[in-house]
């Protein structure tokens, strides 16, 4: 298949057991098309974070396979898979650890073999894309930034590697409403640039307002997969151990009220 037409990600019958024997994923099938905005939804312990770690080969399935841009991830293409799929961890402090923001952002490109000049160019561009100012922040230690800024620096670190797919684990956790909006604007811009996005979350409001497609996971099993409108199907969300987005529940309860009152 032409790489222009192939899906961005395919999981086929993926199972994963942790070394202590805990079964985190059982027979997971999922297909994410290029340019899609996919939410992977489920309650705590559903296997979402484990699945995210599968997407670029950081974790390898106990059985089954993960395909990126038409190629099954294996020992011969792991580095390539990590370049294609960038992972943004839930906690930016697991990801941003260099003494300065600039160093942190240059780290990935350097690892890819870029020259110092190219690494700096990519770092600057990545910071611009997350709407942060290089002149103000480049020399600052990441730990002195706000949580929302650290989160955006973590995303910039991934962007500096120019991945085609970005998977984000609970990207809006612990953000205040304006920081959440700013982050969603960044994701919208990336989507506009053709980047494929997969967001792992239990936040049905986030999924409802942002995603095109959804995969519902529960106890390591896909319970439903399809259009975002599945989120408004009470039977599906109940099966997934979640609830419908707030405004759909309010509508069922006769909300919003009529203004002005009749
Ligand atoms: P989610 O992200 O949906 O909350 P996780 O992927 O973190 O779910 O966890 C899925 C299952 O795997 C849970 O039962 C969890 O307890 C288990 N698990 C997660 N990490 C480990 C680990 N390091 N060792 C053993 N079991 C784990």
């Amino acid at each position: 298949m032409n790489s222009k037409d192939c899906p961005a990600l395919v999981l086929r019958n993926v199972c994963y057991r942790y070394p202590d024997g805990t079964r985190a994923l059982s027979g997971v099938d999922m297909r994410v098309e290029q340019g899609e905005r996919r939410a992977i939804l489920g309650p705590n312990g559903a296997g979402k974070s484990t699945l995210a770690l599968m997407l670029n080969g950081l974790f390898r399935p106990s059985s089954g396979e993960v395909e990126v841009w038409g190629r099954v991830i294996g020992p011969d293409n792991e580095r390539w898979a990590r370049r294609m799929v960038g992972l943004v961890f839930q906690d930016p402090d697991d990801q941003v650890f260099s003494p300065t923001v600039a160093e942190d952002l240059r780290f990935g490109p350097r690892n890819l073999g870029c020259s110092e000049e190219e690494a700096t160019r990519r770092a600057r561009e990545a910071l611009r894309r997350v709407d942060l100012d290089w002149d103000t922040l480049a020399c600052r230690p990441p730990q002195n930034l706000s949580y929302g800024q650290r989160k955006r620096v973590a995303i910039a670190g991934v962007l500096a590697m120019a991945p085609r797919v970005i998977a984000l684990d609970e990207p809006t956790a612990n953000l205040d409403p304006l920081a959440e909006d700013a982050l969603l604007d960044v994701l919208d811009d990336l989507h506009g640039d053709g980047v494929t996005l997969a967001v792992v979350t239990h936040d049905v409001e986030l999924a409802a307002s942002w995603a095109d497609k959804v995969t519902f996971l529960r106890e390591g099993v896909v319970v439903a997969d399809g259009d975002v409108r599945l989120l408004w199907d009470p039977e599906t969300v109940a099966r997934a151990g979640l609830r419908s987005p707030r405004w759909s529940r309010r509508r069922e309860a006769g909300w919003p009220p009529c203004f002005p009152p009749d």
Side-chain angles (χ1 to χ4, degrees), residues 7-241:
L9 298 166
V10 179
L11 276 70
R12 286 192 198 91
N13 201 15
V14 166
C15 300
Y16 186 78
R17 253 183 212 283
Y18 280 96
D20 70 357
T22 307
R23 184 184 271 272
L25 298 173
S26 306
V28 169
D29 291 311
M30 184 176 79
R31 179 184 169 107
V32 178
E33 301 297 339
Q34 294 182 25
E36 202 175 283
R37 284 177 290 200
R38 165 80 52 157
I40 298 159
L41 278 159
N44 291 335
K48 305 182 298 295
S49 299
T50 308
L51 191 149
L53 293 165
M54 298 272 148
L55 299 180
N56 73 349
L58 263 182
F59 277 19
R60 300 286 286 283
S62 310
S63 61
E65 58 187 24
V66 178
E67 192 179 285
V68 173
W69 233 265
R71 292 170 66 187
V72 174
I73 304 179
D76 55 326
N77 62 9
E78 262 174 350
R79 277 176 68 86
W80 169 84
R82 279 184 209 155
R83 246 187 7 243
M84 292 291 284
V85 183
L87 272 190
V88 180
F89 298 132
Q90 179 171 345
D91 184 351
D93 299 333
D94 290 340
Q95 197 148 2
V96 178
F97 42 74
S98 300
T100 67
V101 169
E103 280 309 292
D104 208 86
L105 298 181
R106 285 190 198 111
F107 179 82
R110 270 193 198 131
N111 250 357
L112 295 179
C114 294
S115 66
E116 281 305 302
E117 201 183 358
E118 173 64 7
T120 301
R121 192 195 65 73
R122 283 188 179 211
R124 271 178 173 273
E125 171 62 11
L127 208 58
R128 187 194 65 72
R129 285 177 87 185
V130 298
D131 210 20
L132 292 177
D133 182 48
W134 177 267
D135 294 332
T136 318
L137 294 181
C139 296
R140 303 249 322 253
Q143 67 269 23
N144 291 359
L145 305 183
S146 73
Y147 184 87
Q149 287 173 323
R150 294 207 297 287
K151 193 95 185 180
R152 280 194 271 167
V153 169
I155 296 175
V158 166
L159 287 178
M161 317 254 280
R164 303 254 192 113
V165 181
I166 303 182
L168 304 101
D169 195 347
E170 298 290 0
T172 55
N174 303 318
L175 294 181
D176 66 42
L178 287 182
E180 178 171 335
D181 283 354
L183 189 128
L184 292 179
D185 286 346
V186 169
L187 296 190
D188 282 345
D189 287 348
L190 292 173
H191 174 64
D193 291 344
V195 177
T196 305
L197 295 165
V199 160
V200 159
T201 184
H202 60 250
D203 184 344
V204 290
E205 317 293 338
L206 167 65
S209 64
W210 175 82
D212 304 317
K213 293 282 169 76
V214 287
T215 300
F216 292 92
L217 268 187
R218 188 175 197 177
E219 294 176 9
V221 174
V222 175
V223 296
D225 185 284
D227 190 90
V228 68
R229 278 172 289 194
L230 277 173
L231 265 170
W232 284 272
D233 175 39
E235 196 263 329
T236 302
V237 288
R239 234 170 356 111

